[in-house]
Structure formats: C-alpha cells, structure tokens
C-alpha cells in the first residue's frame, strides 16, 4: 500500500475522494498516520484501503494485520472480526483482566502519592533556594568591594565562604537552585519558553553524558533545563559526534582560553547541531544558556543586550551599550553560564562581545583565525558508521547496505544526510530511485557556482525536496522561495500572511513571479485560505527545506543559496517581493523606543535583501529609518556602515541630488557626530544641505532636518553664532509648516536654547528650554529621550544662573528617569550624570560630585573611548571638582591629558580647548609652576 500511496494523488485529493464515497479521511490524519506519528482507526484504514483500489471484502488480510498491530500498540479493539478472517487477539480470562485492572489502579495511587510528596519537597527547596540566593548576593557584593579595594586575599576568602555556604545549604536541603547567574524561575524566554521548574530534555540517540565525572550541581537533575534558555529544541534524531562533544566538555574550563571554544568546519557539516546538542546534553550544568546568531557582527549587540533584559539587568528600552556593559559585569563575577555565538565568521566582531570571567563560550564558524581568543575544535564530515546510523534513524527499515550507498553519495555531510533521510521517510522513495534522481538533478543544479566538495550532494537533495514540494504543496514552495532572499533568521508567519493579503487582489504583471505559472503564483491562496499558508510552512518543514520557530519559519543559508540558484532569471523579481514583505512589516518611527523590539527583528532581513541595490522608494525609506534606529540604540558604528553602503550605491544609481541619497547622507553625518567625528560630519552637511535646498526646496522636510543637524554640529565644533543663526531659521520654518508642538519643531527649539546657553545668554536659554520642556512632556511624555534631553538642558541653565537648588532637584529627577528608562551607560544617562556632578560641585557637595563624576568618566571611557569629545568634557569637569577638593596634583594630571587630547581632537582654537587651557594654567598657578 505504501508503494500505491507513493503514486497516489495528494492528501487533499484523497480527502475529497473519500467524501465523494461517503467516507472520512482528513488530510491531517493522513500525514500523521503515514509518518508514523499516529495509529489509524479501523474505519480510517478501511477508507484508505478502498481509495487505494483494494476491495476490503476480497482481500481481508488488511484487517488481520490491523488486529495484530492494535494489540502491539494496546489499542482498544472491540470490533468483531470479519467472516473468514483470523482473530489473533490473546484469549484473556475475566479473572486475569480484573487482576490487571486492579494493578493499574494501585500504580495510579502510588504515582499520586509520589507526586504529592515531590510537591512538598519542591516548595521547601524553593524557599531554601531563595534564602541562599539572598546570601549569595550579599557575599558577592562583599567580595566585589574587596576586589575593588585591592584586598585580593580577603576577596578570595569571601568567595570560599560563599561556596561553603551554598554547599552546606544544598546538603541540608537535598535540593535547590545553584549559585550562579540564573534568572528568577518564573521568567521565560522567547524560544522555547522554559517551565517554571526545570524541564527534562528529550533523550537523543547518542551516548550518555560525555563527562561522567562532572555531576550536575546540587539541586539540579541531569537533563533539566536552566531558567534562562533560548536554545532551539534538541534534535531527537541527533546521532554520533560523541568524540567531539566529549572533547568540548574536557576543553572547557582549561587554560587561558579554555572557556572559549570555536567549532570550525565547512557549511552544512553540523556545527550548529553539535552546539545545540552540547547545550542540551549539559544543560543541567548551567544556570544561563544563551544563543546568539552571529553571522552579521552589527546585530550581535542586540542579542547580547536581550540577555541582559532576560536576566532583569536592563529594561527592553535600554540602549545596547548600557545593557551589554551591565551584562558583562554581571557574568564576570559568576560561573555556570554558556554563550553560543553561531555562524560567526568575523573574529573581531565577536571578540568585543565576549564577557570574560569563569563561564563558557562556544563559537561555530566556517572561518579560521580564532586562535587568539579561542581554542579551535575542527569539525569534519561524519564517520561512515555515524552517517549510516543517522540515515537509519530517519528511515529504520533502510538496510545497512542501502544506507552506506546513500552516505557515500552524500559524502557523509550531516545536513545532506538529514535532508535525504527526511525525503525518503516522507515520500517512501526507494534508495535506487533516489540515487538516480540525485544524479539526474544534481548535474543541472550544480553546472554553475560549485564551491566545495560537499555542495553537490547537498544541492541535489535540496533540489529533489523542492521538486517534491512543488507537486505536494505549491504554496509551501512559494514560501521557501520568498524566504530564500531574507536572512537565515526566523520569518514571522504574520509577515507572510500580510504580504499575501496585500498583493492577492492586484493584477500580477506578466511575466512576474506572481503571474500564473510564476514562482510565487501560489501565494494568492494565502488571501482566500490563510490556513493554507500554515500548511505550506509545515510542508516545507517536513521535507527538510525549513525549520519551524516559535512564531515563524527559518531557512538554512545553504538551502537559501540552492533555492536562489534554481530561480535563475526569476531571482530578481522574487527578491523584489521579499523586499515588499519587509516594507509591509516596517516597525514605524525609529526614535520611538516602543518600536525598537520590532526593528531588531527587521534589520537582519533588511540587510539580506541588499537595500543598496533597491530602487523602491518604500524600501529606501525603510533602510534609512533602519540606519537612524541603529544610532538611536547607541550603535552608531553599525549605522555608519549601513549608511555608507546606501549612499554609495544610491548615488551611483540615482545621482547625488536624489532624495534618498540626501537622507542617507544625513544618517551618516549623524552617525559621525555621535562618534565625535565632527569634521567628517561637517563635510557631509556642507555638501548635502546646499544640494537639498536646490533639489528639494528650502522648506522640504529633508532640507530642514539636514539644516537642524548641521546647526547642532556647528555648535559642537564651537561655532556658536553660526549655529544659532541656522537653528533660528530652521525653527521658524518648522513652526510655520508644522506648528509649535510638532516633535521636529521641539527638537529645533531645544537645540536653539542650547546655542543661547553656549553663548552665555543663560536667561534666554532657560526661558526657551522651559517652554520646550513643557511641550515635550505634553506631546511625547515624561520618559521620552527628547524630553529628558530637554530637562537636562534646562537644569544646566538653572545651574549656570546660580539657581543651584532648583537645578539639583531637576537634575536628580532627570538622572533617575534616564537610569530607569535607558540604563547606566546610555548617552542620555551619562550626559545627565555629568551635568548633575557640576551642580553638586557648585553646591559645595564635593564628595558626592567626586563619586558621581569619577564613575561617569570611567563609563564614558569604556563606552566611547578616551578621546571622544564628551569624555574630554567630563574629564575637564572632574578636574574642577578635584581642584575644589584640594587634590591639585591629580587635577593637574587629568587636565593636562584632557587638554592634549582636546587639541588633537577638537583643534587648538576650539572654545572648549581654550577653556581647558585656561583651567590648566589656573591649576599650575596654584601649584607654583
């Protein structure tokens, strides 16, 4: 019957045919039965036999076979056998049945008693764990403070006492949460959500623990998941690789780089699967396991910051730099954590995110050069016996000889083996037929672009699966083709549904991809039958072309490459539709913190569709907003890279006066400005603003935003009067065109007031800042970044006017809001802290000012670097506090270094450089030099 099924119509056609003869044969049940996930009922099998062309009455062996299987699977078989058919059911006496049922009831009672006792023990353990956790925090703080004071020996003794305390508590309770970086058990992560108590990891087809000497910590069960966990589900069919896993476990924790291991191998060799298996196999040894997709270095920071949020160290709106800094500090003082950087090809791009400390880091990469930061673990193709075992796991009835033939044809590459096994299991294809199809199709697929020894069998398997998917579920293949042009990250299904609804009613442009017969024609079904899209995703997953995620679908990068190659001349059109998917998923205003989580998902896919090569105005809008978002989140380096690519590509295609070229120039200039590269920003503003005025007009929004940014940069360069004149003109235009309360008008007013303050016109600045802050609070709310920036400016004006108590109150409130909303290392927070320190000094509260400014300067140096202009301003302010405290020598050293750097960075004639020189002369005079 399986042979007949392989040549039969689709599940949907069988379902329709069954209805026509008065039978029920749901296609979902068909899929579950034929894949072995469900035992069929006799009525279901009767309908299936009839549709396969077999007369049930003339061929009764189907029923006897079902009866034998029903006994094996403990099915409730009550139907009488057909006349003439053998009934092989065991002849159990009524007494035996009663005894068996009584034993079942006894076992159920025992299980209930055990469950009740376990619940009591778990509650007691939870309370003990909370007490230990509080003690751990206290002892950790003591040890950290001793370290800061240079008391290394005492710090070591404190940590030893901490370990002894934990061991004693665990020994007494017999259970509990381990000492480490675990989040509260009730917290969950995006994928998959862990249970409130450690959940068992499903067993894999491999050897037991690779390190039997390393037992889980007290209170943890072997195989349980930590509370903080975002690793994909364990592959139940994972086979072999025990030598690699044991080697990894042995290496971690030894040597200077023992805590960082890099799995290196060619694409498709199974590095990611090994990393997943390692994380799952040794999950009970960790309190935190966090997976980071590291293919694009610009996106690593967002994922590292997400761990800080998950550990409750930062809020979702906290900028990346702050969240990462807090996380690194947290992890360096704790152990039992594992970070996995998957598919990382840029060593420098990963190195800066490594936290250090006693935890473990696992890197997977196709590239080399990891020796300076990690121990490299080579990953080759599977051994032949492992390949055979993997294939027979997917298809148990496969003979060892046939499995060996397949493994040889697929060059023992794990991804190809897994896909081939899935194809055979789903389609009931014979091995000889599969190998023949592989040879026939592989030549056509790989006539161009072969890049290695393993691409041929992999591409051939992908091509076969795509051919099968085209026949079984054309909508599933359309989804695969569309996702092939996005990033190898999760694509939410609701994006695909929105795309299908928005384009289904349009008349396709022949011969485009959505035209009848085009590569995406089947997507029209998504509008009339949304469930069909979900079925299509399921079909792609079953045939090994995609992976299901918690809210969408993801394609492996090698699958994407083969699918793109298959499309040939249609590839450009399909990429255009992939770009449309992203345009429709646009998160909105990149300056609004509420949109940042969605932006974090969109940006990887945007980079994958080559926005620089796009001519769509909507996609260009999205790309420029993405560059602005990256700067807003504190990643001006990634923003600058994207903006350079956009500006270069669009200038070549559309000319320097194009609206989007000017927009990309503004994004790049702003990124330079945030990096302290004022001269580079100035050159861009000087070139772009006249072009925008000429091409778009004086009052065009793009022109006004360029003028606004240029005015800010002029002030930062010390050209205060020019900045004031330009900002006054810009504000007048904004108010005339948009009104006084529009956010852009408020931005302009806020910075005009800053110009007045820089010119020493503090009362005028105070009045304008006060008016602007009132409007900001009404329009954007108290905690919006622009509102807090305005509040900080107003407090500085009050301080400059000698109204110190008013300034202190506003500074204190603003700093508290910044810390709560953005974190300690946010630029907003650091500016507020620097200004507050100056006001504390003017109030004579020198100790408070000293503590705050010393901490702020250290953070600036870590986040922005020693030579960033803002770091130099803070160093100057701190030197004034040191001088006021009588620490003249330290003030002299700090101010001399700051002055030297200011001359180099800002120039000898910059007002801030001249002011720093006067202050240094004052210090030297006091020292008698």
């Amino acid at each position: 019957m399986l042979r007949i099924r392989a040549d039969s119509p689709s599940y949907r056609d069988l379902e329709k045919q069954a209805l026509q003869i008065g039978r029920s044969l749901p296609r979902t049940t068909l899929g579950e039965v034929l894949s072995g996930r469900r035992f069929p009922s006799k009525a279901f099998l009767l309908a299936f036999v009839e549709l396969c062309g077999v007369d049930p009455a003339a061929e009764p062996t189907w029923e006897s076979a079902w009866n034998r299987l029903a006994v094996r699977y403990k099915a409730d078989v009550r139907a009488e056998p057909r006349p003439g058919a053998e009934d092989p059911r065991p002849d159990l006496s009524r007494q035996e049945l009663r005894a068996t049922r009584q034993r079942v009831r006894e076992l159920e009672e025992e299980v209930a008693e055990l469950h009740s006792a376990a619940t009591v023990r778990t509650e007691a353990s939870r309370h003990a764990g909370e007490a230990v956790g509080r003690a751990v925090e206290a002892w950790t703080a003591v040890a950290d403070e001793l370290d800061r004071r240079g008391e290394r020996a005492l710090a070591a003794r404190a940590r030893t006492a901490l370990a002894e305390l934990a061991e004693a508590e665990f020994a007494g309770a017999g259970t509990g949460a381990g000492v480490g970086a675990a989040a509260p058990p009730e917290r969950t992560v995006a994928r998959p959500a862990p249970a409130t108590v450690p959940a068992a990891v499903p067993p894999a087809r491999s050897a037991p623990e690779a390190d039997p000497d390393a037992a889980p910590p007290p209170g943890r069960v072997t195989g349980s998941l930590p509370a903080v966990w975002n690793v994909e589900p364990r592959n139940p069919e994972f086979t072999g690789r025990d030598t690699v896993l044991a080697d990894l476990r042995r290496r971690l924790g030894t040597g200077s780089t023992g805590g960082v291991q890099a799995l290196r191998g060619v694409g498709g060799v199974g590095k990611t699967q090994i990393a997943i298996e390692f994380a799952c196999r040794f999950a009970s040894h960790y309190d935190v396991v966090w997976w980071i997709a590291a293919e694009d270095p610009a996106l690593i920071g967002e994922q590292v910051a997400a761990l800080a949020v998950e550990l409750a160290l930062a809020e979702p709106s906290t900028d990346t730099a702050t969240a990462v800094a807090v996380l690194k500090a947290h992890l360096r003082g704790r152990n039992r954590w594992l970070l996995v950087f998957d598919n990382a090809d840029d060593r420098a791009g990963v190195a800066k995110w490594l936290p250090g400390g006693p935890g473990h880091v696992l890197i997977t990469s196709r590239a080399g050069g990891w020796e300076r930061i990690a121990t490299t673990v080579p990953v080759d193709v599977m051994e032949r016996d492992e390949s055979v075992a993997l294939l027979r796991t997917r298809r148990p009835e496969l003979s060892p000889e046939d499995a060996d033939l397949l493994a040889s044809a697929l060059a023992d590459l794990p991804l190809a083996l897994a896909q081939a096994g899935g194809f055979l299991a789903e389609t009931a294809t014979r091995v000889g037929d599969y190998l023949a199809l592989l040879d026939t199709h592989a030549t056509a697929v790989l006539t161009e672009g072969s890049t290695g020894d393993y691409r041929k069998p992999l591409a051939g398997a992908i091509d076969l699966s795509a051919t099968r998917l085209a026949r079984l579920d054309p909508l599933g293949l359309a989804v695969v083709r569309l996702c092939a042009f996005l990033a190898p990250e999760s694509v939410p299904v609701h994006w695909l549904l929105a795309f299908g609804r928005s384009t289904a009613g349009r008349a396709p442009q022949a011969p485009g991809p959505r035209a009848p017969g085009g590569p995406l024609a089947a997507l029209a079904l998504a509008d009339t039958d949304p469930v069909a899209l979900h079925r299509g995703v399921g079909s792609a997953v079953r045939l090994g072309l995609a992976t299901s995620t918690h809210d969408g679908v993801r394609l492996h990068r090698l699958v994407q490459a083969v699918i793109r190659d298959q499309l040939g001349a249609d590839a450009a059109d399909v990429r255009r539709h992939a770009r449309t998917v992203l345009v429709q998923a646009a998160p909105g205003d990149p300056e609004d913190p509420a949109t940042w989580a969605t932006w974090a998902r969109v940006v990887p896919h945007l980079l994958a569709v080559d926005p620089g090569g796009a001519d769509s105005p909507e996609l260009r809008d999205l790309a420029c907003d993405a560059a602005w978002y990256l700067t807003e989140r504190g990643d001006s380096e990634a923003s600058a890279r994207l903006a350079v690519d956009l500006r270069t590509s669009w200038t070549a295609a559309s000319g320097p006066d194009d609206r989007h070229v000017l927009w990309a120039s503004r994004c790049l200039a702003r990124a330079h400005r945030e990096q302290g590269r004022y001269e580079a920003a100035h050159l861009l503003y000087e070139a772009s603003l006249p072009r925008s005025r000429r091409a778009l007009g004086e009052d065009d929004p793009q022109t006004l935003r360029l003028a606004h940014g240029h005015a800010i940069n002029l002030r930062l360069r010390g050209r205060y009067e020019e900045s004031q004149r330009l900002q006054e003109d810009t504000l007048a235009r904004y108010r005339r065109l948009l009104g006084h309360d529009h956010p852009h008008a408020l931005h302009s007013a806020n910075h005009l007031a800053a110009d007045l303050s820089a010119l020493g016109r503090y009362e005028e600045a105070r009045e304008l800042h006060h008016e602007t802050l009132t409007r900001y609070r009404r329009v954007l709310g108290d905690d919006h970044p622009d509102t807090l920036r305005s509040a900080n400016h107003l407090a500085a004006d009050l301080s400059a006017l000698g109204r110190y108590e008013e300034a202190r109150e506003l500074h204190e409130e603003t700093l508290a809001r910044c810390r709560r909303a953005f974190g300690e290392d946010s630029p907003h927070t650091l500016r507020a802290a620097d200004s507050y320190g100056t006001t504390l000094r003017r109030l004579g509260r020198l100790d408070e000012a000293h503590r705050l400014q010393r901490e702020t300067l250290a953070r600036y140096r870590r986040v922005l670097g020693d030579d960033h202009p803002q770091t130099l301003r803070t160093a100057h302010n701190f030197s004034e506090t040191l001088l006021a405290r009588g620490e003249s020598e330290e003030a002299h050293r700090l101010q001399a270094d700051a002055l030297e750097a200011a001359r180099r960075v800002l120039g000898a004639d910059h007002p801030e450089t001249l002011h720093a020189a006067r202050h240094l002369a004052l210090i030297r005079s006091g020292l008698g030099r």
Side-chain angles (χ1 to χ4, degrees), residues 76-335:
D76 186 11
V77 184
R78 293 188 175 89
E80 291 298 324
R82 295 176 60 85
E86 179 185 359
D87 183 4
R89 288 176 292 179
D91 186 16
L92 298 177
S93 67
R94 293 181 179 272
Q95 183 176 358
E96 290 172 325
L97 286 174
R98 282 196 298 270
T100 299
R101 290 169 180 162
Q102 177 62 29
R103 181 56 182 156
V104 168
R105 284 193 293 269
E106 292 172 355
L107 289 173
E108 289 175 344
E109 292 173 358
E110 291 178 14
V111 169
E113 292 175 0
L114 289 171
H115 182 270
S116 177
T119 300
V120 173
R121 287 195 299 271
T122 299
E123 184 65 18
S125 299
R126 184 179 67 81
H127 290 302
E130 290 175 354
V132 172
R134 289 190 295 270
V136 165
E137 291 296 327
W139 275 104
T140 299
V142 169
D144 290 346
E145 180 61 27
L146 289 170
D147 271 333
R148 282 193 291 270
R149 296 183 179 183
E151 300 288 348
R152 307 299 181 192
L154 289 176
R157 289 176 59 188
R159 291 193 170 93
T160 300
L162 171 62
E164 292 173 351
L165 167 66
E167 291 173 3
E169 289 295 332
F170 286 135
T175 184
V179 179
E186 65 270 14
R187 291 183 60 82
T188 58
V189 292
R191 69 168 199 228
T196 54
V197 296
V201 180
R205 300 177 183 270
S206 53
E209 294 259 46
D211 186 3
D213 296 330
R220 289 289 295 278
V221 178
T222 299
S224 63
L225 296 180
V228 179
W229 170 273
N230 74 332
V231 181
E232 292 185 7
R234 189 178 198 175
N235 181 1
E237 296 172 343
F238 183 88
T239 303
R241 301 297 199 181
D242 295 308
T243 301
V244 176
L245 290 166
D247 192 34
L248 268 181
R249 183 64 182 165
R250 178 183 59 80
R251 290 169 180 255
L252 283 169
T254 61
S256 59
T257 58
V260 184
Q261 300 287 312
L263 294 172
R264 183 192 174 192
V266 299
V269 80
K271 303 178 295 296
T272 297
Q273 286 298 317
I274 291 173
I276 293 173
E277 175 64 19
F278 180 89
C280 293
R281 185 177 295 194
F282 299 104
S284 56
H285 293 261
Y286 298 101
D287 293 323
V288 175
V289 179
W290 200 252
W291 191 275
I292 298 159
E295 183 172 16
D296 188 339
L299 305 176
I300 295 176
E302 290 282 341
Q303 300 172 76
V304 177
L307 175 56
V309 174
E310 184 58 33
L311 289 170
L313 301 173
E315 294 297 324
S317 60
T318 304
D319 69 281
T320 301
T322 299
V324 171
V326 172
L327 177 68
K328 285 183 176 180
H330 180 79
L331 295 181
R332 284 170 185 155
R334 287 155 178 80
N335 57 11

Side-chain angles (χ1 to χ4, degrees), residues 473-653:
D473 198 329
L475 179 53
L477 182 59
V479 169
V480 168
R481 286 168 170 168
L482 196 61
C483 292
F485 290 89
L486 298 172
E489 306 290 340
S490 178
V491 180
V493 171
H494 69 265
W495 288 6
L496 302 174
L497 285 169
F499 173 73
R501 286 192 296 267
S502 67
T503 59
R506 301 178 187 174
Q509 298 177 352
R514 292 184 61 82
L520 301 181
L523 282 173
L525 293 173
D527 181 54
T528 57
D529 185 7
V531 177
L533 182 64
H534 293 274
R535 284 198 299 267
V537 169
S539 298
V541 171
R542 284 195 300 274
L543 285 177
L545 289 172
T547 301
S548 178
T549 64
H550 70 284
D551 68 344
V553 61
R554 179 175 63 252
L555 266 63
H556 190 282
R557 59 190 56 85
L558 297 180
V559 174
Q560 291 179 310
V562 173
I563 296 297
R564 291 194 298 266
D565 290 345
Q566 291 176 347
L567 287 169
D570 288 327
D573 281 337
V574 177
R575 177 184 282 110
R576 178 170 55 82
H577 281 275
R579 290 167 172 168
T580 302
V581 170
L582 299 179
V583 168
Q584 293 172 347
D589 182 5
E591 296 182 358
D592 183 0
T595 68
W596 290 353
T598 307
W599 272 112
R601 300 198 69 174
V602 168
V603 168
H605 297 292
L606 178 67
L607 299 179
V609 299
D610 182 25
D615 57 5
S616 160
E618 293 82 8
L619 187 75
R620 289 187 172 191
D621 287 352
L622 183 68
C624 290
D625 277 343
W628 202 261
Y629 152 77
L630 289 169
T631 298
E632 286 290 322
R633 285 305 309 267
D635 199 349
S636 54
E637 181 181 345
S639 175
R641 286 198 301 269
L642 175 58
V644 165
D645 176 66
L646 299 178
R647 184 171 180 267
T648 302
S649 300
W650 294 345
T651 299

